[in-house]
Amino acid sequence: MHSPLDELILLGDPRLYEVCEPVSPADDLLIADTVQRLHQVLMAFRERYQAGRAVAAPQIGVMKRIVYLHTGTPVVFLNPELSDLSEEQMEIWDDCMCFPNLLVRLRRSRRCTVRFLDLSWQPQAMQLEDGLSELLQHECDHLDGVLAISRALDSRSFRWRA
């Protein structure tokens, strides 16, 4: 039986290290399909692992700059760009849907701004703090082919999820 989780690309797949292409209005059908698939994958991941707040298109093999966030109300980020990353950092144990049982200790900026286009192609900006700041940094890293394991503090910054 096919599960939406079958779409997730797992650690070791070279596509996870590729830089994604921007989307444009010509990609509307691809975007609609991708957002639906991202939603299904995120919900299935939550059901299985009791975790997951967002997912990026390359995690399901769509090499486009799309992030789907669902922390109560879904938000789609088209071509997101981070700016104003605070010098103040926080240390966290980061997880990733592409290696669901592995946690990685790393640092992220406590605050940042994300600028993006919404599904109506309108420019938006959000100032983010703490958990949402680190989350969008993680997802934007996916769009640039950077995984959390590449940001580990040191060689001992890995552990299995309990």
Side-chain angles (χ1 to χ4, degrees), residues 91-94 102-106 148-149 151-160:
E91 264 188 37
I92 60 165
W93 282 102
D94 200 4
L102 182 65
L103 298 171
V104 182
R105 190 84 176 155
L106 51 80
I149 57 170
R151 295 195 182 278
L153 293 177
D154 57 35
S155 63
R156 295 181 182 193
S157 294
F158 300 90
R159 74 174 194 209
W160 292 116

Side-chain angles (χ1 to χ4, degrees), residues 2 17 24 30 32 43 54 62-63 66 79 82 85 87 105 115-116 118 126 134 139 141 144 146 150 154:
H2 174 74
Y17 299 97
S24 72
L30 171 77
M43 294 305 116
V62 177
M63 308 314 289
I66 304 169
N79 301 330
L82 296 176
L85 281 87
E87 288 186 28
R105 190 84 176 155
R115 289 178 173 74
F116 62 99
D118 65 20
M126 296 170 67
E134 66 86 7
E139 300 306 334
D141 271 356
D144 292 329
V146 177
S150 303
D154 57 35

Side-chain angles (χ1 to χ4, degrees), residues 16-86:
L16 290 173
Y17 299 97
E18 291 180 22
V19 176
C20 294
E21 295 293 322
V23 289
S24 72
D27 294 317
D28 271 346
L29 289 176
L30 171 77
I31 292 166
D33 177 67
T34 301
V35 168
Q36 180 180 15
R37 290 169 53 206
L38 291 170
H39 174 78
Q40 291 169 346
V41 166
L42 183 60
M43 294 305 116
F45 189 88
R46 278 187 187 172
E47 188 175 315
R48 180 173 296 169
Y49 295 99
Q50 287 72 55
R53 300 171 292 162
V55 59
Q59 292 177 270
I60 62 167
V62 177
M63 308 314 289
K64 293 288 189 171
R65 300 186 80 79
I66 304 169
V67 170
Y68 179 78
L69 167 77
H70 196 310
T71 58
T73 302
V75 180
V76 177
F77 299 82
L78 302 178
N79 301 330
E81 293 181 12
L82 296 176
S83 63
D84 308 319
L85 281 87
S86 67

Side-chain angles (χ1 to χ4, degrees), residues 113-116 122-127:
T113 299
V114 60
R115 289 178 173 74
F116 62 99
Q122 296 303 304
Q124 305 291 332
M126 296 170 67
Q127 281 75 41

Side-chain angles (χ1 to χ4, degrees), residues 86 88-90 108-112 128-130 133:
S86 67
E88 183 185 1
Q89 305 234 310
M90 56 187 177
R108 298 267 189 208
S109 293
R110 187 165 295 281
R111 287 174 299 285
C112 69
L128 306 171
E129 294 188 359
D130 301 324
S133 176

